[in-house]
Amino acid sequence: MVEKQTKTITINDKEYTEDQLTDQQKVMINHIGDLERKIGSTQFNLDQLQVGKQAFVDMLGNSLEAEEEDT
């Protein structure tokens, strides 16, 4: 016999099983999960952009310093 595992979610320190939620509440939970993934992905992209920008700032600074040394 296979037991069906019930999903639970904790909201405001209270646990709810999937069967206690309305279809609309389940949709809201799916939206929250999707938004959390998108926020994580966006934060990852922002980190990459900030590191890339800093690399160009550093390269520019080094280039300017090299020109000053040559003159």
Side-chain angles (χ1 to χ4, degrees):
M1 182 165 83
V2 176
E3 289 185 36
K4 183 179 177 185
Q5 194 151 6
T6 306
K7 294 180 184 178
T8 61
I9 184 166
T10 304
I11 302 170
N12 297 330
D13 297 324
K14 185 174 178 185
E15 286 194 1
Y16 298 89
T17 59
E18 193 173 9
D19 60 340
Q20 291 175 295
L21 303 172
T22 66
D23 288 342
Q24 185 180 23
Q25 291 166 335
K26 291 175 189 176
V27 168
M28 289 179 214
I29 290 168
N30 288 335
H31 280 293
I32 292 167
D34 185 49
L35 289 166
E36 286 176 341
R37 284 185 292 279
K38 287 178 180 178
I39 289 168
S41 176
T42 300
Q43 184 62 55
F44 180 82
N45 290 335
L46 180 58
D47 291 343
Q48 285 183 328
L49 291 168
Q50 289 173 328
V51 169
K53 176 188 169 193
Q54 190 59 51
F56 281 106
V57 168
D58 293 345
M59 289 188 317
L60 176 60
N62 292 337
S63 175
L64 292 170
E65 287 176 13
E67 281 184 5
E68 289 176 5
E69 291 173 2
D70 290 341
T71 57

